[in-house]
Amino acid sequence: MKIQSAELDAKTTEVKVSEQAAVKKTVKRSEFSDSGTASKLRTVKKEPEERLKFADGEGGNTVVSLIKAIVYIIFVVVISVFASIFIILVGNDVFAFVKNDEVRDVVIPENADLGDVADVLYENDIIAYPQIFKLYAHINGEDGKTEDGKSKFVAGTYSISPMYNYDELLVAFEEKVDYGVQDIMIPEGYTTDEIIDLFVSKGIGTREGFVDVINNYDFDYWFIDELGEDWGADGRIYRLDGYLFPDTYQFYNNSSEVTVIKRLLRRFNQIFTEEYREQCASMGYTVDEMITLASMIEKEAGSAAEFFYVSSVFHNRLNNPAAYPKLESDATIVYAIQHETGERPNLTSTTYETPYNTYTYGGLPPGPIANPSASAILAALSPVKSGYYFFISDGGVTKFSETRAQHEALIAEIRQKSQAASSSQQTGDMSAEEAANSLTDNQ
């Protein structure tokens, strides 16, 4: 019994030990589990704090940037407003858009320079910005002095309105020059030399100035561009021969050569329409060739009524070069001689050496021999249909022939009249004897 009791106590003791060990394990697991949970809780707590800190930094930067942008925009707007107001005020002062129209008397002192004038105008409330006034004057090449360094401004008392703009004020105190205007009539068929002499005789420009402008100035017209840079290669005398349109013009007495020639070219451009240009192309001619032909018609015909028949003679010859290789126009030779000598010749021979000699060279001359009228241009573009190949002037009247025999009979008739008439008797621009020599087909 004692042995059994001892075994029982031993087992009881083992069970207790086992239970204690189990309890310890359970406690350790629980402690481990509680430790992990606490760690997780601590981590979760840290994340919101970090996010909050990051959010606070990002938001602060955004606000600062926004404030800077607003300040910059306000600055730009303010500067733009002030700049705009200043520009408007200066523009109004320069151009006098809206100003007081009360006339004021101002006194310009002796030998006043540009600064003195600006100060006087400012003191009398004519202008608001004297420095701008002086700057404007210098930009426009005005320094208030003559070529010899003297003051341009004439001393005295002037009645000036604030409504004067700067340009008007700059000349208001200068010596007034009456340039004057004059009407100048350029006869139809005038040569370029005759036009130059006409203007020079009226006190406008110089011969050298006109020649330079006519041959070299860069005018912006299509018909000049078509002439090309080598316009004088064939012996042409003037680049703008034929394009200085004859008409009545009004010019200031101090007009420049460029102003004069530009007006004449502009008138030609108005007369010679796009339809005319297309018609030239359809007929197989350049515009310059057609103007050359028109100039010959102008110089050869006795009157405008004969233009279309003279035109038909030239066109018939140009269209039949095998039978009539030369145009044989006296007017082309006369043009060359008159340019070289300055006087219209009494043509007695057709052997004069010049590229303009249409007895020597086939086809049209190097360029127009005159500046033709609108009627002559129209006749060149629209010749009548005829069988004429010859013409001759008889007492200012042009007579036409289809055959050489008819033409020679007319020559004999005119020569008989010439023998009976006085040697000084005129037939149009030439004597009867000269008219006998003025043949389209030289004998």
Side-chain angles (χ1 to χ4, degrees), residues 163-225:
M163 290 300 294
Y164 282 17
N165 60 42
Y166 280 10
D167 287 326
E168 292 169 325
L169 291 172
L170 284 169
V171 299
F173 313 111
E174 296 181 4
E175 184 177 358
K176 302 298 184 294
V177 178
D178 183 12
Y179 294 111
V181 296
Q182 56 180 309
D183 293 329
I184 297 181
M185 190 273 289
I186 301 175
E188 296 174 343
Y190 249 33
T191 67
T192 298
D193 282 315
E194 288 171 330
I195 290 176
I196 292 173
D197 292 340
L198 174 63
F199 278 98
V200 172
S201 70
K202 299 291 185 179
I204 297 178
T206 64
R207 178 169 185 81
E208 295 76 15
F210 275 113
V211 171
D212 180 59
V213 169
I214 288 170
N215 285 342
N216 301 309
Y217 190 85
D218 186 17
F219 293 103
D220 186 20
Y221 287 102
W222 59 267
F223 49 86
I224 298 178
D225 293 338

Side-chain angles (χ1 to χ4, degrees), residues 309-365:
Y309 291 95
V310 172
S311 177
S312 73
V313 171
F314 287 135
H315 275 286
N316 288 342
R317 284 177 167 249
L318 289 168
N319 293 332
N320 191 6
Y324 301 95
K326 311 288 174 53
L327 293 180
E328 297 177 326
S329 167
D330 288 4
T332 59
I333 304 175
V334 169
Y335 168 74
I337 296 175
Q338 186 172 350
H339 169 71
E340 293 182 14
T341 65
E343 297 180 358
R344 181 183 175 86
N346 179 6
L347 193 64
T348 57
S349 171
T350 58
T351 60
Y352 187 81
E353 180 51 40
T354 171
Y356 285 85
N357 190 332
T358 50
Y359 285 87
T360 303
Y361 301 98
L364 293 164

Side-chain angles (χ1 to χ4, degrees), residues 58-79:
E58 186 181 52
N61 290 337
T62 302
V63 171
V64 171
S65 298
L66 182 60
I67 292 172
K68 287 181 179 179
I70 292 172
V71 171
Y72 177 76
I73 292 171
I74 293 173
F75 177 77
V76 170
V77 170
V78 170
I79 294 298

Side-chain angles (χ1 to χ4, degrees), residues 317 324 387-392 399-414 439 441-443:
R317 284 177 167 249
Y324 301 95
Y388 297 140
Y389 285 90
F390 308 89
F391 62 78
I392 184 173
K399 295 185 176 181
F400 300 88
S401 303
E402 294 184 359
T403 66
R404 187 174 297 276
Q406 293 172 348
H407 184 58
E408 289 177 348
L410 284 174
I411 293 173
E413 180 183 332
I414 292 173
L439 311 176
D441 184 20
N442 187 38
Q443 302 301 307

Side-chain angles (χ1 to χ4, degrees), residues 99-243:
K99 297 177 73 175
N100 189 341
D101 60 356
E102 180 184 353
V103 176
R104 293 159 185 159
D105 290 336
V106 300
V107 178
I108 302 299
E110 290 283 349
N111 301 316
D113 59 20
L114 187 62
D116 296 329
V117 171
D119 291 340
V120 169
L121 295 175
Y122 174 71
E123 292 167 0
N124 287 273
D125 294 328
I126 303 297
I127 63 174
Y129 304 100
Q131 296 301 326
I132 299 294
F133 179 81
K134 289 188 287 184
L135 177 62
Y136 182 88
H138 285 302
I139 290 175
N140 287 276
E142 291 289 345
D143 59 0
K145 297 179 180 179
T146 60
E147 292 182 358
D148 57 1
K150 296 181 180 179
S151 174
K152 278 186 177 181
F153 306 115
V154 180
T157 301
Y158 298 83
S159 295
I160 300 296
S161 169
M163 290 300 294
Y164 282 17
N165 60 42
Y166 280 10
D167 287 326
E168 292 169 325
L169 291 172
L170 284 169
V171 299
F173 313 111
E174 296 181 4
E175 184 177 358
K176 302 298 184 294
V177 178
D178 183 12
Y179 294 111
V181 296
Q182 56 180 309
D183 293 329
I184 297 181
M185 190 273 289
I186 301 175
E188 296 174 343
Y190 249 33
T191 67
T192 298
D193 282 315
E194 288 171 330
I195 290 176
I196 292 173
D197 292 340
L198 174 63
F199 278 98
V200 172
S201 70
K202 299 291 185 179
I204 297 178
T206 64
R207 178 169 185 81
E208 295 76 15
F210 275 113
V211 171
D212 180 59
V213 169
I214 288 170
N215 285 342
N216 301 309
Y217 190 85
D218 186 17
F219 293 103
D220 186 20
Y221 287 102
W222 59 267
F223 49 86
I224 298 178
D225 293 338
E226 288 186 355
L227 295 177
E229 295 294 330
D230 59 343
W231 57 267
D234 296 330
R236 186 186 186 114
I237 294 174
Y238 289 118
R239 178 182 58 151
L240 300 184
D241 263 342
Y243 300 98

